[in-house]
Amino acid sequence: MFKILFSLPRTVWLIGLISFVNDAASEMLYPLMPLYLATVLMAGPKALGLIEGIAEATSSIFKLVSGVIVDRTKKTKPWIVIGYFLAGIGRPLIAIANSWTWVLCIRFTDRLGKGLRTSPRDALLADSVPSNQRGLTFGLHRSMDNAGAVFGPLIAALLLSMNIPLRDIFLWAVVPGIITVALALCLKEVPREQQVVQPFSWSLEGLSPQFKRYILAAGIFALANSSDMFLLLRARELGVPQEQIPLLWAAISLITTLFGTPLSALSDRFSRKNFILIAWCAFAFFYIAMSFSGITIWMLCALFGIYGLFKAATEGVEKALVADLAPKGMTGTAFGWFNLISGLMLLPASLIFGWLYESFSPQYAFLFSGSCAMLAFLLLAVWVFGAQETQNPK
């Protein structure tokens, strides 16, 4: 595996480095958002659910827009650069926000940038390697991305231990933002095969029935996958000290970093569907277990370890499966639809979760997510993978 890993194109490694730096900035702030909203801006779980839901829904819509544009223009770099630029200027502005509505506007800008860059970036990765290296490529990218997610919270924990105010920590995010844009400008386009481009259709014309079933199941699963900020909020309620919250998040990212590449690479040799099925089942178990109130700190750490393995087994493999199922010339559109369907469901997911969390109890919220995940698992096993094999089984 290592020989193939180090022979991957320069573009793959550069995109991984860009994601590392960008995620270091993003994840330095991410675990602090629930604390910042609650202690500085006095906002509760409902506001958090609204902010994250709208932000992620915005990101999803523009993932489809940028994916369709990429297939027509055959250009990915401009959208990647613009996307990272918007994120770079948006995050530090949270430091001057004086209400949760301003945080909503800033998160909107940040997620707009993610929406514009994600599908073009994924298409560029898919077109940079042969099909039998897609699992390894997307796994490497997610591992480097999550390595940044390890580094960022550690910086946040260090700054908190030095009693630096939360607002000042948000300002520091401008530095990696500048570095990210500079690295993105160094990307080079990969020649794409000239294919007849299918006209855009809301009925997903040109995409296979298998792909359509897959993204529907992924959308239902996304309804279970509300903002990870709720997990950090729950961990704080279960007794994890404030200064250790970033460390807990860093531990999850470390697990995903270490296991993301080898698990995704294995999916190039074995069935991708088995990886996804096992991971979705583990996710359902994790959320149902988090609904219990008598969880000790050690049990909580073990559960978060399972969550990290879930992310490692799915982040790269799910995208590799999208690339496998995408017709030639429609890679960007396929990623756009996958990101749109799964991302749009994050709006009701976060809104419902936040409403159940605040209006009733955390138990109801976590049980709701666990139930949705089990439904998605059954659909995937019986309706998607049970109906027929994927077009390019691995």
Side-chain angles (χ1 to χ4, degrees), residues 7-38:
S7 67
L8 291 175
R10 172 182 176 274
T11 298
V12 173
W13 286 96
L14 182 55
I15 291 176
L17 179 60
I18 292 169
S19 292
F20 169 81
V21 177
N22 180 73
D23 233 49
S26 178
E27 300 301 324
M28 179 176 72
L29 309 181
Y30 191 85
L32 302 180
M33 283 289 292
L35 307 178
Y36 185 74
L37 286 167

Side-chain angles (χ1 to χ4, degrees), residues 45 92 119 192 202 211 224 302 365:
S119 294
R192 307 184 77 195
W202 287 106
F211 176 80

Side-chain angles (χ1 to χ4, degrees), residues 177-313:
I178 294 173
I179 297 173
T180 299
V181 174
L183 290 172
L185 289 169
C186 298
L187 286 171
K188 293 183 179 180
E189 296 283 357
V190 173
R192 307 184 77 195
E193 292 184 27
Q194 295 299 320
Q195 300 285 341
V196 177
V197 179
Q198 294 281 348
F200 177 76
S201 170
W202 287 106
S203 63
L204 285 76
E205 184 177 349
L207 297 170
S208 69
Q210 180 83 351
F211 176 80
K212 295 174 185 178
R213 290 194 293 267
Y214 172 53
I215 63 172
L216 179 59
I220 294 175
F221 182 78
L223 186 61
N225 197 6
S226 59
S227 172
D228 286 337
M229 289 187 185
F230 289 115
L231 300 179
L232 303 178
L233 185 63
R234 180 65 169 158
R236 181 70 186 92
E237 292 176 350
L238 291 172
V240 178
Q242 174 175 305
E243 63 275 10
Q244 293 182 15
I245 292 292
L247 297 178
L248 180 63
W249 191 242
I252 295 174
S253 300
L254 178 61
I255 292 172
T256 310
T257 299
L258 294 176
F259 291 95
T261 300
L263 287 178
S264 296
L266 283 175
S267 78
D268 286 329
R269 300 177 57 189
F270 303 103
S271 174
R272 299 201 206 281
K273 67 180 183 181
N274 290 335
F275 280 83
I276 299 174
L277 285 171
I278 293 172
W280 283 18
C281 189
F283 177 94
F285 169 79
F286 167 74
Y287 263 79
I288 292 172
M290 287 290 288
S291 69
F292 294 98
S293 56
I295 301 176
T296 66
I297 297 297
W298 289 111
M299 291 170 62
L300 187 67
C301 290
L303 287 173
F304 271 78
I306 293 174
Y307 187 64
L309 288 173
F310 152 76
K311 292 168 72 70

Side-chain angles (χ1 to χ4, degrees), residues 20-344:
F20 169 81
V21 177
N22 180 73
D23 233 49
S26 178
E27 300 301 324
M28 179 176 72
L29 309 181
Y30 191 85
L32 302 180
M33 283 289 292
L35 307 178
Y36 185 74
L37 286 167
T39 61
V40 178
L41 302 180
M42 305 301 173
K46 289 182 181 178
L48 177 60
L50 181 63
I51 290 170
E52 289 304 295
I54 290 178
E56 293 300 335
T58 300
S59 172
S60 302
I61 292 171
F62 281 93
K63 285 174 184 176
L64 174 60
V65 172
S66 61
V68 172
I69 292 175
V70 162
D71 285 340
R72 278 152 178 74
T73 64
K74 309 300 181 185
K75 298 292 183 182
T76 58
K77 180 177 176 179
W79 303 104
I80 296 174
V81 173
I82 292 171
Y84 281 115
F85 173 77
L86 288 176
I89 64 173
R91 284 189 292 258
L93 293 178
I94 296 177
I96 62 175
N98 55 13
S99 70
W100 70 264
T101 52
W102 277 109
V103 175
L104 171 60
C105 294
I106 294 166
R107 284 288 287 165
F108 176 89
T109 303
D110 178 32
R111 296 297 90 178
L112 172 61
K114 183 173 183 178
L116 290 176
R117 72 177 183 259
T118 299
S119 294
R121 183 200 64 204
D122 290 343
L124 182 58
L125 282 171
D127 291 339
S128 298
V129 296
S131 61
N132 63 352
Q133 293 182 2
R134 285 174 179 158
L136 177 63
T137 296
F138 282 105
L140 173 65
H141 171 254
R142 294 308 305 160
S143 289
M144 294 186 72
D145 186 273
N146 283 293
V150 175
F151 191 61
L154 291 178
I155 296 176
L158 175 62
L159 296 176
L160 284 174
S161 68
M162 297 168 62
N163 296 318
I164 295 178
L166 287 174
R167 289 185 185 273
D168 293 348
I169 295 177
F170 280 93
L171 285 173
W172 279 101
V174 71
V175 176
I178 294 173
I179 297 173
T180 299
V181 174
L183 290 172
L185 289 169
C186 298
L187 286 171
K188 293 183 179 180
E189 296 283 357
V190 173
R192 307 184 77 195
E193 292 184 27
Q194 295 299 320
Q195 300 285 341
V196 177
V197 179
Q198 294 281 348
F200 177 76
S201 170
W202 287 106
S203 63
L204 285 76
E205 184 177 349
L207 297 170
S208 69
Q210 180 83 351
F211 176 80
K212 295 174 185 178
R213 290 194 293 267
Y214 172 53
I215 63 172
L216 179 59
I220 294 175
F221 182 78
L223 186 61
N225 197 6
S226 59
S227 172
D228 286 337
M229 289 187 185
F230 289 115
L231 300 179
L232 303 178
L233 185 63
R234 180 65 169 158
R236 181 70 186 92
E237 292 176 350
L238 291 172
V240 178
Q242 174 175 305
E243 63 275 10
Q244 293 182 15
I245 292 292
L247 297 178
L248 180 63
W249 191 242
I252 295 174
S253 300
L254 178 61
I255 292 172
T256 310
T257 299
L258 294 176
F259 291 95
T261 300
L263 287 178
S264 296
L266 283 175
S267 78
D268 286 329
R269 300 177 57 189
F270 303 103
S271 174
R272 299 201 206 281
K273 67 180 183 181
N274 290 335
F275 280 83
I276 299 174
L277 285 171
I278 293 172
W280 283 18
C281 189
F283 177 94
F285 169 79
F286 167 74
Y287 263 79
I288 292 172
M290 287 290 288
S291 69
F292 294 98
S293 56
I295 301 176
T296 66
I297 297 297
W298 289 111
M299 291 170 62
L300 187 67
C301 290
L303 287 173
F304 271 78
I306 293 174
Y307 187 64
L309 288 173
F310 152 76
K311 292 168 72 70
T314 56
E315 288 184 346
V317 178
E318 287 180 346
K319 291 191 173 185
L321 183 58
V322 171
D324 291 343
L325 297 175
K328 288 186 177 180
M330 295 188 69
T331 308
T333 301
F335 276 114
W337 274 114
F338 174 77
N339 291 323
L340 173 69
I341 298 299
S342 58
L344 272 183

